[in-house]
Amino acid sequence: MNPILGGRPLRAAFAGTMLVAIVAATTAVLATSASAGTTLGASAAERGRYFGAAIAAGKLGDSTYVNILNREFNSVTAENEMKWDATEPSQNNFNYTNADRIVSHAQSRGMSIRGHALVWHSQQPGWAQNMSGSALRSAMVNHITQVATKYRGRIHSWDVVNEAFADGSGGGRRDSNLQRTGNDWIEVAFRTARAADPGAKLCYNDYNTDGINAKSTGIYNMVQDFKSRGVPIDCVGFQSHLTNSVSSDYQANLQRFANLGVDVQITELDISGSNQANVYSTVTRACLAVSRCNGITVWGIRDSDSWRTGQNPLLFDSSGNKKAAYTSTLNALNSTPPTNPPPSPSTSPPTPGGPVDTSAWYILVNRNSGKALDVYNFSTADGGRITQWTRGTANNQQWQFVDSGSGYYRIKSRHSGKVLDVSGFSTANGGAIVQWTDNNSNNQQWRLADSAGGYVRLISRHSNKALEVQGASTADGANIVQYDDWGGNNQQWQLVRVGSVTAAFGAAAHDVGLTAQRSIALGSLTAATSRS
C-alpha cells in the first residue's frame, strides 16, 4: 500500500484533493516560467533532445560557420574525420588529428558528440579494400576496438555500422567485402564496440529507410533479432536525405523501431525542394512525437557546406542567413511544451566560481539532459541508486552542500538525509554513485569545478573523477556514475536554488505531487512507489 495515499478514508480523500491542487499549481508555475527556446539547440534541450550538425574540421577556421555552430547546435557529428580511411590510413597506424579537433571543439562548448562511423563498405582505406575473409574480419575488430577505446566516455552515440542493407524490394543485406566475411559481421561489430565503450549508445545507420518499406523492414527484423538474443544495439539512425516530401508513415516508422526497445535518431537530415520548410517542420514534429527519438542532426550548416551541391537543402543559406526552413523548424520545436524547463524566476543559481550556500537546498540539473539528480524510487536505504529524472520539486531531488573543509562538500539528500557516495571506494571509470550514511569519508566529498555558462562539475576527492550521467543518456532513470573529468555536457550541472515555490507547498506536499506526476506518467498511481 502507498503510505501516502493508503489508510483512513478521510485522510485519503484530503490527500487526494491536496494532491490535485499541488500538481495543478506546480504545473501552472512551470508552464508560465518556461520560455520558448530561441535557438535550435536550446529549444531541443528543453524538450529532452539534441539538435546537431555534421561538421568538418577544415571549416573550424571559418568564423561565420563557427558562429552559427556555437550559437545554434548542442551536438556535432564528424562528417568524415572518424571514418575508417581517416582514422587508420595504413594498417595499425592511427591518425586522430582532425577527429580530435572536432572533439575538442565540441567539449569546449559543452556539445554532445555522435561518432560516425566505425565500419562502412565505403570510405575504407585502400589496404582494407584489398582484404577479405578472416584477415578483414580481424582488421575490422581491431579498428573498432582502437577507435572506440580512444574516444571512450566522450561519445554520446556511435554509428557502429553504416548502410549495410541493399536498396530495392528484397530487404536483404548489401553485398560488400564486409558482408562476405560472414553474415554475423554486424553482430560482431556491435559486440566489439560495446566492449570498447560500454557507455556510448550503439546505433545502426542507413538511408532510404524513412518510411515502412522493404529496406526499413529488413533492418527492423535485424534489430528485433538482436534484441531477442541480447546483441547490444541501442539505437537506429534514419539519415533522412529528402526531396520536397516525406513519407506519410515517417513517424509510424520511427515509433515501430522505438517499440522494439531502441532509441531512434534522425542522423543526416537535409531536404531540397520548394516545400522544404514544411517538410523540415513535419520531420521535427515526428521526432518530438516519439518519446525515444533522441534528437536531430542536419548534414551540414550552410547550403554551401552541403554534399548536395546546388540543391540548397540546409537551414542557412550560403551567407549564413536563416532560411524559412530554419524558422519552421524552430517553430516546430517550440510547438510542444518543454519537458526540461529552464529555471523559473523563483529560483537562483549560485554565483559561478563562488561558494555555495550551505544553508540552502538545490536541485542539480544536468546540462546534457535537462534532468535532475534524483534518489531513485525515493529510497532511504544505504546503497540506494542515484539517477537522473525529469525535474520536479520533490525532496528526493533536493540537495544540500555540507562543508567538509578545504573546498570540499558532502552532498546530502533532503529526502533520505544520506549523502552522495562513490560506491565501494571505486577509482574506476563507470564506478557507481549511490547514497550512504554520512561518515565524511573522502569518497563522499566533492569539489565544484567551473564550466561555462554557470554550470559546474562535481569532482570526487577520493578518485578525482567527475560526476556524470552514464552514456550521456537523456532518459529518466539513467545511472549516475564517475568518469574521467573531460568537461562534457553530461558532467555539467546547474545548481538551482530551491525558491519560494518549494517553500509555499512544503516538503511533504512536494513528495505527494511528484509521486502523483510520476505515477500518471507510468500509467498507474500505484506504480509511483515501484520504479524499476
Side-chain angles (χ1 to χ4, degrees):
M1 175 180 291
N2 187 316
I4 296 174
L5 300 178
R8 286 167 281 196
L10 286 176
R11 291 193 178 182
F14 175 75
T17 302
M18 288 298 295
L19 180 151
V20 171
I22 290 163
V23 172
T26 303
T27 301
V29 169
L30 292 179
T32 57
S33 68
S35 59
T38 57
T39 67
L40 301 170
S43 182
E46 287 179 5
R47 286 145 186 89
R49 290 163 173 81
Y50 61 80
F51 204 105
I55 65 171
K59 294 180 179 177
L60 291 177
D62 180 330
S63 61
T64 301
Y65 182 91
V66 171
N67 287 340
I68 298 171
L69 169 63
N70 292 347
R71 182 186 75 232
E72 294 290 341
F73 300 101
N74 61 351
S75 171
V76 298
T77 301
E79 283 189 26
N80 294 295
E81 291 81 352
M82 291 187 177
K83 291 173 182 172
W84 198 343
D85 61 346
T87 52
E88 194 181 3
S90 60
Q91 191 168 11
N92 282 322
N93 291 311
F94 290 85
N95 184 344
Y96 299 112
T97 301
N98 286 325
D100 282 348
R101 289 184 66 196
I102 289 174
V103 170
S104 178
H105 185 88
Q107 288 183 347
S108 73
R109 302 296 303 185
M111 299 171 176
S112 62
I113 304 165
R114 295 194 76 261
H116 176 82
L118 289 172
V119 282
W120 185 25
H121 70 275
S122 185
Q123 287 187 242
Q124 295 178 5
W127 63 267
Q129 294 175 33
N130 295 325
M131 280 185 169
S132 61
S134 60
L136 178 59
R137 175 67 65 88
S138 295
M140 178 195 80
V141 168
N142 180 64
H143 177 77
I144 294 170
T145 299
Q146 295 298 323
V147 177
T149 299
K150 157 74 175 177
Y151 293 110
R152 179 174 176 160
R154 289 181 279 179
I155 302 296
H156 175 280
S157 306
W158 266 115
D159 289 333
V160 178
V161 174
N162 193 46
E163 299 178 5
F165 276 72
D167 294 317
S169 59
R173 301 277 186 91
R174 174 193 300 274
D175 178 57
S176 70
N177 60 348
L178 293 165
Q179 180 63 29
R180 291 191 293 273
T181 67
N183 202 54
D184 65 340
W185 77 273
I186 299 179
E187 175 178 342
V188 170
F190 274 86
R191 292 191 185 278
T192 303
R194 174 66 87 228
D197 188 352
K201 291 181 187 289
L202 306 182
C203 305
Y204 176 82
N205 189 54
D206 218 323
Y207 68 96
N208 283 350
T209 57
D210 313 304
I212 299 174
N213 56 35
K215 185 174 183 179
S216 65
T217 298
I219 296 166
Y220 177 93
N221 292 337
M222 178 189 74
V223 174
Q224 186 175 51
D225 171 61
F226 280 11
K227 295 295 288 184
S228 71
R229 295 191 294 108
V231 178
I233 185 168
D234 305 308
C235 44
V236 176
F238 298 81
Q239 293 184 16
S240 303
H241 299 295
L242 305 173
T243 301
N244 230 25
S245 65
V246 64
S247 174
S248 61
D249 54 9
Y250 185 87
Q251 180 180 320
N253 192 40
L254 297 179
Q255 187 63 61
R256 71 166 177 159
F257 278 88
N259 291 343
L260 291 176
V262 293
D263 293 337
V264 294
Q265 301 176 1
I266 299 168
T267 54
E268 303 184 19
L269 182 63
D270 49 23
I271 304 167
S272 64
S274 60
N275 198 35
Q276 180 184 70
N278 288 331
V279 181
Y280 264 107
S281 176
T282 299
V283 170
T284 301
R285 291 172 189 271
C287 179
L288 292 173
V290 177
S291 62
R292 295 198 70 151
C293 183
N294 300 153
I296 298 170
T297 299
V298 289
W299 204 253
I301 293 178
R302 304 165 298 192
D303 286 333
S304 54
D305 304 315
S306 174
W307 68 289
R308 299 172 68 174
T309 305
Q311 297 183 43
N312 300 325
L314 295 172
L315 299 174
F316 298 87
D317 68 21
S318 296
S319 298
N321 300 307
K322 298 173 183 177
K323 296 165 57 177
Y326 172 93
T327 303
S328 69
T329 301
L330 183 60
N331 288 344
L333 287 168
N334 285 330
S335 68
T336 61
T339 56
N340 301 317
S344 73
S346 62
T347 63
S348 58
T351 303
V356 293
D357 183 348
T358 55
S359 68
W361 297 93
Y362 293 93
I363 297 171
L364 277 60
V365 181
N366 186 256
R367 188 170 196 165
N368 178 61
S369 66
K371 297 185 185 293
L373 193 73
D374 178 287
V375 180
Y376 186 75
N377 207 22
F378 295 89
S379 174
T380 57
D382 280 342
R385 283 174 57 197
I386 304 300
T387 65
Q388 68 175 5
W389 202 270
T390 300
R391 180 181 156 192
T393 51
N395 276 357
N396 73 321
Q397 291 187 354
Q398 296 185 33
W399 305 88
Q400 186 177 53
F401 287 78
V402 181
D403 195 353
S404 292
S406 302
Y408 286 87
Y409 301 87
R410 283 107 63 212
I411 304 174
K412 183 175 72 174
S413 168
R414 189 169 197 166
H415 169 70
S416 65
K418 298 183 186 296
V419 298
L420 294 184
D421 178 288
V422 180
S423 183
F425 291 85
S426 173
T427 57
N429 282 332
I433 305 301
V434 298
Q435 67 176 3
W436 204 269
T437 300
D438 182 5
N439 55 40
N440 199 22
S441 57
N442 275 5
N443 70 322
Q444 295 181 344
Q445 296 182 29
W446 306 83
R447 63 178 171 85
L448 280 64
D450 282 348
S451 288
Y455 288 81
V456 297
R457 303 180 319 282
L458 299 170
I459 310 299
S460 169
R461 187 170 198 166
H462 167 70
S463 65
N464 205 36
K465 297 184 184 294
L467 192 80
E468 75 162 38
V469 179
Q470 190 169 36
S473 174
T474 57
D476 280 342
N479 288 327
I480 305 300
V481 298
Q482 66 177 5
Y483 212 90
D484 290 336
D485 178 18
W486 58 277
N489 266 6
N490 66 322
Q491 293 185 344
Q492 297 183 37
W493 302 88
Q494 184 180 44
L495 275 57
V496 180
R497 184 169 177 159
V498 176
S500 60
V501 174
T502 300
F505 291 128
H510 286 307
D511 280 345
V512 174
L514 192 61
T515 299
Q517 292 177 47
R518 291 189 184 181
S519 66
I520 290 166
L522 293 170
S524 167
L525 190 59
T526 57
T529 57
S530 59
R531 271 198 278 160
S532 60

PDB file of all heavy atoms in Angstrom, residues 384-408:
ATOM      1  N   GLY A 384      21.249   3.082  -2.021  1.00  0.00           N
ATOM      2  CA  GLY A 384      20.192   3.461  -2.949  1.00  0.00           C
ATOM      3  C   GLY A 384      20.775   4.120  -4.189  1.00  0.00           C
ATOM      4  O   GLY A 384      21.686   4.950  -4.112  1.00  0.00           O
ATOM      5  N   ARG A 385      20.248   3.743  -5.365  1.00  0.00           N
ATOM      6  CA  ARG A 385      20.763   4.251  -6.643  1.00  0.00           C
ATOM      7  C   ARG A 385      20.539   5.753  -6.759  1.00  0.00           C
ATOM      8  O   ARG A 385      19.536   6.300  -6.319  1.00  0.00           O
ATOM      9  CB  ARG A 385      20.054   3.577  -7.818  1.00  0.00           C
ATOM     10  CG  ARG A 385      20.501   2.176  -8.136  1.00  0.00           C
ATOM     11  CD  ARG A 385      19.600   1.587  -9.218  1.00  0.00           C
ATOM     12  NE  ARG A 385      19.573   2.403 -10.422  1.00  0.00           N
ATOM     13  CZ  ARG A 385      18.639   2.306 -11.367  1.00  0.00           C
ATOM     14  NH1 ARG A 385      17.634   1.454 -11.234  1.00  0.00           N
ATOM     15  NH2 ARG A 385      18.681   3.074 -12.449  1.00  0.00           N
ATOM     16  N   ILE A 386      21.478   6.406  -7.435  1.00  0.00           N
ATOM     17  CA  ILE A 386      21.325   7.804  -7.818  1.00  0.00           C
ATOM     18  C   ILE A 386      21.172   7.835  -9.337  1.00  0.00           C
ATOM     19  O   ILE A 386      21.998   7.268 -10.064  1.00  0.00           O
ATOM     20  CB  ILE A 386      22.529   8.649  -7.368  1.00  0.00           C
ATOM     21  CG1 ILE A 386      22.740   8.514  -5.858  1.00  0.00           C
ATOM     22  CG2 ILE A 386      22.319  10.112  -7.757  1.00  0.00           C
ATOM     23  CD1 ILE A 386      21.567   8.971  -5.004  1.00  0.00           C
ATOM     24  N   THR A 387      20.110   8.472  -9.793  1.00  0.00           N
ATOM     25  CA  THR A 387      19.805   8.515 -11.214  1.00  0.00           C
ATOM     26  C   THR A 387      19.490   9.957 -11.608  1.00  0.00           C
ATOM     27  O   THR A 387      19.576  10.877 -10.798  1.00  0.00           O
ATOM     28  CB  THR A 387      18.594   7.623 -11.540  1.00  0.00           C
ATOM     29  OG1 THR A 387      17.420   8.154 -10.896  1.00  0.00           O
ATOM     30  CG2 THR A 387      18.813   6.187 -11.069  1.00  0.00           C
ATOM     31  N   GLN A 388      19.122  10.137 -12.876  1.00  0.00           N
ATOM     32  CA  GLN A 388      18.505  11.390 -13.286  1.00  0.00           C
ATOM     33  C   GLN A 388      17.026  11.131 -13.567  1.00  0.00           C
ATOM     34  O   GLN A 388      16.628  10.014 -13.908  1.00  0.00           O
ATOM     35  CB  GLN A 388      19.182  11.965 -14.523  1.00  0.00           C
ATOM     36  CG  GLN A 388      18.972  11.158 -15.798  1.00  0.00           C
ATOM     37  CD  GLN A 388      19.559  11.829 -17.023  1.00  0.00           C
ATOM     38  OE1 GLN A 388      20.213  12.857 -16.957  1.00  0.00           O
ATOM     39  NE2 GLN A 388      19.332  11.233 -18.182  1.00  0.00           N
ATOM     40  N   TRP A 389      16.228  12.171 -13.379  1.00  0.00           N
ATOM     41  CA  TRP A 389      14.787  12.047 -13.615  1.00  0.00           C
ATOM     42  C   TRP A 389      14.248  13.422 -14.011  1.00  0.00           C
ATOM     43  O   TRP A 389      14.843  14.452 -13.675  1.00  0.00           O
ATOM     44  CB  TRP A 389      14.074  11.540 -12.359  1.00  0.00           C
ATOM     45  CG  TRP A 389      12.742  10.909 -12.652  1.00  0.00           C
ATOM     46  CD1 TRP A 389      11.528  11.522 -12.691  1.00  0.00           C
ATOM     47  CD2 TRP A 389      12.502   9.546 -12.975  1.00  0.00           C
ATOM     48  NE1 TRP A 389      10.543  10.625 -13.014  1.00  0.00           N
ATOM     49  CE2 TRP A 389      11.113   9.393 -13.194  1.00  0.00           C
ATOM     50  CE3 TRP A 389      13.319   8.422 -13.094  1.00  0.00           C
ATOM     51  CZ2 TRP A 389      10.522   8.185 -13.530  1.00  0.00           C
ATOM     52  CZ3 TRP A 389      12.738   7.208 -13.421  1.00  0.00           C
ATOM     53  CH2 TRP A 389      11.361   7.093 -13.635  1.00  0.00           C
ATOM     54  N   THR A 390      13.152  13.420 -14.756  1.00  0.00           N
ATOM     55  CA  THR A 390      12.528  14.681 -15.141  1.00  0.00           C
ATOM     56  C   THR A 390      12.403  15.591 -13.925  1.00  0.00           C
ATOM     57  O   THR A 390      11.935  15.172 -12.872  1.00  0.00           O
ATOM     58  CB  THR A 390      11.141  14.429 -15.755  1.00  0.00           C
ATOM     59  OG1 THR A 390      11.298  13.612 -16.918  1.00  0.00           O
ATOM     60  CG2 THR A 390      10.464  15.734 -16.141  1.00  0.00           C
ATOM     61  N   ARG A 391      12.815  16.820 -14.097  1.00  0.00           N
ATOM     62  CA  ARG A 391      12.914  17.747 -12.982  1.00  0.00           C
ATOM     63  C   ARG A 391      11.552  18.044 -12.358  1.00  0.00           C
ATOM     64  O   ARG A 391      10.578  18.371 -13.031  1.00  0.00           O
ATOM     65  CB  ARG A 391      13.550  19.043 -13.468  1.00  0.00           C
ATOM     66  CG  ARG A 391      13.697  20.083 -12.381  1.00  0.00           C
ATOM     67  CD  ARG A 391      14.304  21.339 -12.961  1.00  0.00           C
ATOM     68  NE  ARG A 391      13.952  22.499 -12.159  1.00  0.00           N
ATOM     69  CZ  ARG A 391      14.146  23.740 -12.551  1.00  0.00           C
ATOM     70  NH1 ARG A 391      14.667  23.980 -13.732  1.00  0.00           N
ATOM     71  NH2 ARG A 391      13.796  24.748 -11.771  1.00  0.00           N
ATOM     72  N   GLY A 392      11.498  17.907 -11.041  1.00  0.00           N
ATOM     73  CA  GLY A 392      10.315  18.278 -10.284  1.00  0.00           C
ATOM     74  C   GLY A 392      10.742  19.097  -9.084  1.00  0.00           C
ATOM     75  O   GLY A 392      11.742  19.823  -9.124  1.00  0.00           O
ATOM     76  N   THR A 393      10.013  18.963  -7.994  1.00  0.00           N
ATOM     77  CA  THR A 393      10.366  19.708  -6.786  1.00  0.00           C
ATOM     78  C   THR A 393      10.335  18.815  -5.548  1.00  0.00           C
ATOM     79  O   THR A 393      10.302  19.299  -4.425  1.00  0.00           O
ATOM     80  CB  THR A 393       9.393  20.889  -6.588  1.00  0.00           C
ATOM     81  OG1 THR A 393       8.061  20.408  -6.682  1.00  0.00           O
ATOM     82  CG2 THR A 393       9.634  21.971  -7.624  1.00  0.00           C
ATOM     83  N   ALA A 394      10.336  17.505  -5.736  1.00  0.00           N
ATOM     84  CA  ALA A 394      10.250  16.587  -4.603  1.00  0.00           C
ATOM     85  C   ALA A 394      11.551  16.573  -3.793  1.00  0.00           C
ATOM     86  O   ALA A 394      12.625  16.928  -4.281  1.00  0.00           O
ATOM     87  CB  ALA A 394       9.933  15.181  -5.076  1.00  0.00           C
ATOM     88  N   ASN A 395      11.422  16.123  -2.559  1.00  0.00           N
ATOM     89  CA  ASN A 395      12.573  16.071  -1.657  1.00  0.00           C
ATOM     90  C   ASN A 395      13.707  15.206  -2.191  1.00  0.00           C
ATOM     91  O   ASN A 395      14.875  15.448  -1.886  1.00  0.00           O
ATOM     92  CB  ASN A 395      12.142  15.523  -0.291  1.00  0.00           C
ATOM     93  CG  ASN A 395      11.561  16.604   0.600  1.00  0.00           C
ATOM     94  OD1 ASN A 395      11.528  17.766   0.228  1.00  0.00           O
ATOM     95  ND2 ASN A 395      11.095  16.223   1.777  1.00  0.00           N
ATOM     96  N   ASN A 396      13.384  14.158  -2.960  1.00  0.00           N
ATOM     97  CA  ASN A 396      14.450  13.275  -3.443  1.00  0.00           C
ATOM     98  C   ASN A 396      15.235  13.894  -4.591  1.00  0.00           C
ATOM     99  O   ASN A 396      16.169  13.274  -5.106  1.00  0.00           O
ATOM    100  CB  ASN A 396      13.901  11.904  -3.834  1.00  0.00           C
ATOM    101  CG  ASN A 396      13.106  11.936  -5.113  1.00  0.00           C
ATOM    102  OD1 ASN A 396      12.357  12.891  -5.371  1.00  0.00           O
ATOM    103  ND2 ASN A 396      13.228  10.904  -5.931  1.00  0.00           N
ATOM    104  N   GLN A 397      14.878  15.128  -4.985  1.00  0.00           N
ATOM    105  CA  GLN A 397      15.673  15.870  -5.964  1.00  0.00           C
ATOM    106  C   GLN A 397      16.278  17.136  -5.345  1.00  0.00           C
ATOM    107  O   GLN A 397      16.808  17.978  -6.061  1.00  0.00           O
ATOM    108  CB  GLN A 397      14.818  16.244  -7.178  1.00  0.00           C
ATOM    109  CG  GLN A 397      14.423  15.057  -8.035  1.00  0.00           C
ATOM    110  CD  GLN A 397      13.726  15.448  -9.319  1.00  0.00           C
ATOM    111  OE1 GLN A 397      13.413  16.607  -9.555  1.00  0.00           O
ATOM    112  NE2 GLN A 397      13.462  14.460 -10.157  1.00  0.00           N
ATOM    113  N   GLN A 398      16.229  17.244  -4.041  1.00  0.00           N
ATOM    114  CA  GLN A 398      16.785  18.419  -3.370  1.00  0.00           C
ATOM    115  C   GLN A 398      18.022  18.012  -2.561  1.00  0.00           C
ATOM    116  O   GLN A 398      18.014  16.993  -1.866  1.00  0.00           O
ATOM    117  CB  GLN A 398      15.736  19.062  -2.459  1.00  0.00           C
ATOM    118  CG  GLN A 398      14.539  19.612  -3.238  1.00  0.00           C
ATOM    119  CD  GLN A 398      13.580  20.355  -2.354  1.00  0.00           C
ATOM    120  OE1 GLN A 398      13.975  20.987  -1.381  1.00  0.00           O
ATOM    121  NE2 GLN A 398      12.291  20.292  -2.686  1.00  0.00           N
ATOM    122  N   TRP A 399      19.060  18.858  -2.656  1.00  0.00           N
ATOM    123  CA  TRP A 399      20.369  18.514  -2.107  1.00  0.00           C
ATOM    124  C   TRP A 399      20.962  19.709  -1.365  1.00  0.00           C
ATOM    125  O   TRP A 399      20.815  20.855  -1.795  1.00  0.00           O
ATOM    126  CB  TRP A 399      21.311  18.080  -3.224  1.00  0.00           C
ATOM    127  CG  TRP A 399      20.762  16.957  -4.046  1.00  0.00           C
ATOM    128  CD1 TRP A 399      19.952  17.064  -5.149  1.00  0.00           C
ATOM    129  CD2 TRP A 399      20.937  15.562  -3.810  1.00  0.00           C
ATOM    130  NE1 TRP A 399      19.624  15.800  -5.621  1.00  0.00           N
ATOM    131  CE2 TRP A 399      20.206  14.862  -4.814  1.00  0.00           C
ATOM    132  CE3 TRP A 399      21.641  14.822  -2.855  1.00  0.00           C
ATOM    133  CZ2 TRP A 399      20.177  13.481  -4.886  1.00  0.00           C
ATOM    134  CZ3 TRP A 399      21.602  13.437  -2.918  1.00  0.00           C
ATOM    135  CH2 TRP A 399      20.872  12.779  -3.930  1.00  0.00           C
ATOM    136  N   GLN A 400      21.647  19.400  -0.294  1.00  0.00           N
ATOM    137  CA  GLN A 400      22.329  20.419   0.492  1.00  0.00           C
ATOM    138  C   GLN A 400      23.827  20.139   0.495  1.00  0.00           C
ATOM    139  O   GLN A 400      24.260  18.980   0.581  1.00  0.00           O
ATOM    140  CB  GLN A 400      21.802  20.427   1.927  1.00  0.00           C
ATOM    141  CG  GLN A 400      22.336  21.556   2.791  1.00  0.00           C
ATOM    142  CD  GLN A 400      21.709  21.541   4.169  1.00  0.00           C
ATOM    143  OE1 GLN A 400      21.735  20.521   4.845  1.00  0.00           O
ATOM    144  NE2 GLN A 400      21.131  22.666   4.589  1.00  0.00           N
ATOM    145  N   PHE A 401      24.628  21.204   0.394  1.00  0.00           N
ATOM    146  CA  PHE A 401      26.079  21.076   0.416  1.00  0.00           C
ATOM    147  C   PHE A 401      26.563  21.255   1.854  1.00  0.00           C
ATOM    148  O   PHE A 401      26.356  22.314   2.463  1.00  0.00           O
ATOM    149  CB  PHE A 401      26.716  22.108  -0.516  1.00  0.00           C
ATOM    150  CG  PHE A 401      26.540  21.773  -1.971  1.00  0.00           C
ATOM    151  CD1 PHE A 401      25.330  22.012  -2.606  1.00  0.00           C
ATOM    152  CD2 PHE A 401      27.566  21.198  -2.697  1.00  0.00           C
ATOM    153  CE1 PHE A 401      25.153  21.696  -3.942  1.00  0.00           C
ATOM    154  CE2 PHE A 401      27.404  20.862  -4.035  1.00  0.00           C
ATOM    155  CZ  PHE A 401      26.193  21.114  -4.663  1.00  0.00           C
ATOM    156  N   VAL A 402      27.202  20.208   2.383  1.00  0.00           N
ATOM    157  CA  VAL A 402      27.681  20.208   3.763  1.00  0.00           C
ATOM    158  C   VAL A 402      29.198  20.369   3.721  1.00  0.00           C
ATOM    159  O   VAL A 402      29.912  19.544   3.138  1.00  0.00           O
ATOM    160  CB  VAL A 402      27.302  18.897   4.488  1.00  0.00           C
ATOM    161  CG1 VAL A 402      27.783  18.925   5.925  1.00  0.00           C
ATOM    162  CG2 VAL A 402      25.790  18.673   4.420  1.00  0.00           C
ATOM    163  N   ASP A 403      29.697  21.412   4.323  1.00  0.00           N
ATOM    164  CA  ASP A 403      31.110  21.775   4.216  1.00  0.00           C
ATOM    165  C   ASP A 403      31.999  20.741   4.903  1.00  0.00           C
ATOM    166  O   ASP A 403      31.833  20.433   6.084  1.00  0.00           O
ATOM    167  CB  ASP A 403      31.320  23.151   4.849  1.00  0.00           C
ATOM    168  CG  ASP A 403      32.667  23.770   4.480  1.00  0.00           C
ATOM    169  OD1 ASP A 403      33.495  23.084   3.854  1.00  0.00           O
ATOM    170  OD2 ASP A 403      32.871  24.950   4.815  1.00  0.00           O
ATOM    171  N   SER A 404      32.965  20.200   4.134  1.00  0.00           N
ATOM    172  CA  SER A 404      33.963  19.282   4.690  1.00  0.00           C
ATOM    173  C   SER A 404      35.313  19.953   4.857  1.00  0.00           C
ATOM    174  O   SER A 404      36.271  19.327   5.309  1.00  0.00           O
ATOM    175  CB  SER A 404      34.117  18.053   3.780  1.00  0.00           C
ATOM    176  OG  SER A 404      32.968  17.263   3.806  1.00  0.00           O
ATOM    177  N   GLY A 405      35.417  21.229   4.463  1.00  0.00           N
ATOM    178  CA  GLY A 405      36.682  21.933   4.567  1.00  0.00           C
ATOM    179  C   GLY A 405      37.531  21.782   3.320  1.00  0.00           C
ATOM    180  O   GLY A 405      37.332  20.866   2.508  1.00  0.00           O
ATOM    181  N   SER A 406      38.468  22.685   3.124  1.00  0.00           N
ATOM    182  CA  SER A 406      39.427  22.662   2.008  1.00  0.00           C
ATOM    183  C   SER A 406      38.733  22.698   0.648  1.00  0.00           C
ATOM    184  O   SER A 406      39.260  22.174  -0.339  1.00  0.00           O
ATOM    185  CB  SER A 406      40.334  21.419   2.092  1.00  0.00           C
ATOM    186  OG  SER A 406      41.020  21.396   3.328  1.00  0.00           O
ATOM    187  N   GLY A 407      37.546  23.302   0.593  1.00  0.00           N
ATOM    188  CA  GLY A 407      36.836  23.431  -0.672  1.00  0.00           C
ATOM    189  C   GLY A 407      36.030  22.219  -1.074  1.00  0.00           C
ATOM    190  O   GLY A 407      35.530  22.160  -2.207  1.00  0.00           O
ATOM    191  N   TYR A 408      35.868  21.234  -0.199  1.00  0.00           N
ATOM    192  CA  TYR A 408      35.089  20.031  -0.500  1.00  0.00           C
ATOM    193  C   TYR A 408      33.787  20.035   0.303  1.00  0.00           C
ATOM    194  O   TYR A 408      33.711  20.622   1.392  1.00  0.00           O
ATOM    195  CB  TYR A 408      35.886  18.763  -0.189  1.00  0.00           C
ATOM    196  CG  TYR A 408      36.978  18.500  -1.200  1.00  0.00           C
ATOM    197  CD1 TYR A 408      38.255  19.065  -1.051  1.00  0.00           C
ATOM    198  CD2 TYR A 408      36.743  17.710  -2.310  1.00  0.00           C
ATOM    199  CE1 TYR A 408      39.254  18.841  -1.973  1.00  0.00           C
ATOM    200  CE2 TYR A 408      37.744  17.476  -3.250  1.00  0.00           C
ATOM    201  CZ  TYR A 408      38.981  18.042  -3.073  1.00  0.00           C
ATOM    202  OH  TYR A 408      39.958  17.817  -4.009  1.00  0.00           O
TER     203      TYR A 408
END
